[in-house]
Amino acid sequence: QVHLVESGGGLVQAGGSLRLSCAASGTIASINAMGWYRQAPGKQRELVALITSGGSTNYDFSVKGRFTVSRDNGKNTVYLQMNSLKPEDTAVYYCYVDLMKTWGTRSQNWGQGTQVTVSS
């Protein structure tokens, strides 16, 4: 089994900052990509940021320059530093981890979601 534990969401005023964390644990041999998706009410889930095992990153154009994704491979943890937050960033943010289990099976996993609300 693989478990993802997210933390760091909350309510912040526009222009403020938040940092999300997601720690993966369980039967993990190696982790490929880690990142964050978000889903606003009435909208589809969308990619926010992704980081590969080699450190390459990919961001949605709407967050480039404001959000930074990083990872600590020793802790199997991915972070999302969100600066200059806007009301349109309000959504439930989901951690995503693409990994190989100890017996060689690929597994794509989602966190439980954490609410980020940005007030104007």
Side-chain angles (χ1 to χ4, degrees), residues 8 37 39 55-56 65 95 113 119:
Y37 286 70
Q39 188 167 17
S56 298
C95 172
S119 63

Side-chain angles (χ1 to χ4, degrees), residues 6-106:
E6 299 180 21
S7 61
L11 173 64
V12 65
Q13 288 188 332
S17 298
L18 284 173
R19 188 190 193 211
L20 306 183
S21 299
C22 173
S25 62
T27 53
I28 300 170
S30 62
I31 295 180
N32 303 319
M34 307 180 80
W36 298 89
Y37 286 70
R38 67 186 179 187
Q39 188 167 17
K43 295 187 177 181
Q44 290 188 333
R45 191 174 296 189
E46 62 179 11
L47 173 69
V48 177
L50 207 64
I51 183 168
T52 69
S53 57
S56 298
T57 57
N58 183 33
Y59 295 93
D60 181 77
F61 74 93
S62 67
V63 306
K64 275 186 177 181
R66 300 189 296 122
F67 291 10
T68 302
V69 63
S70 61
R71 59 192 282 175
D72 184 331
N73 292 325
K75 296 181 179 180
N76 288 343
T77 299
V78 62
Y79 305 95
L80 185 67
Q81 178 66 43
M82 304 185 291
N83 298 328
S84 302
L85 281 159
K86 303 175 181 180
E88 50 263 45
D89 295 318
T90 295
V92 177
Y93 284 69
Y94 295 92
C95 172
Y96 167 80
V97 178
D98 178 1
L99 57 85
M100 297 298 292
K101 293 187 176 181
T102 52
W103 53 86
T105 302
R106 183 184 180 189

